[in-house]
């Protein structure tokens, strides 16, 4: 639509990558003790949930009935 009449020199475009701003970003604020404690508790909750799901899920993933948990019907016991 709109065309620039003057050409942009390639050197100007290439030098734009090296441009450094003289404005420094503000310093990062250190997290407070309560924020660190909250993040730690959330992390521990997630890890505990994963470990708990593995512990409760492992018996369901075992193949075949185990020796201590065999179920017998009453007809099989009466023989």
């Amino acid at each position: 639509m709109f065309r620039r009449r003057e050409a942009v020199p390639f050197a100007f475009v290439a030098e734009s990558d090296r441009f450094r701003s003289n404005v420094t970003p503000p310093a990062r604020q250190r997290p407070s003790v309560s924020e660190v404690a909250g993040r730690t508790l959330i992390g521990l909750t997630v890890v505990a949930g994963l470990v708990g799901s593995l512990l409760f899920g492992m018996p369901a993933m075992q193949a075949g009935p185990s020796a201590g948990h065999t179920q017998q019907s009453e007809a099989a016991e009466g023989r």
Side-chain angles (χ1 to χ4, degrees):
M1 290 191 115
F2 297 103
R3 282 194 173 183
R4 296 180 72 159
R5 301 233 178 211
E6 66 277 354
V8 178
F10 180 73
F12 174 76
V13 176
E15 288 177 7
S16 67
D17 292 337
R18 290 185 282 158
F19 176 74
R20 301 254 182 207
S21 175
N22 60 355
V23 178
T24 58
R28 295 184 67 189
Q29 294 180 353
R30 298 186 69 196
S32 66
V33 175
S34 62
E35 288 177 346
V36 171
R39 291 177 187 172
T40 303
L41 285 175
I42 289 174
L44 287 174
T45 303
V46 170
V47 170
L50 292 172
V51 169
S53 65
L54 280 175
L55 289 176
F56 286 119
M58 288 300 286
M61 292 179 0
Q62 291 177 356
S66 60
H69 297 290
T70 55
Q71 293 181 353
Q72 295 179 352
S73 66
E74 292 178 12
E77 291 177 4
R79 287 190 197 187

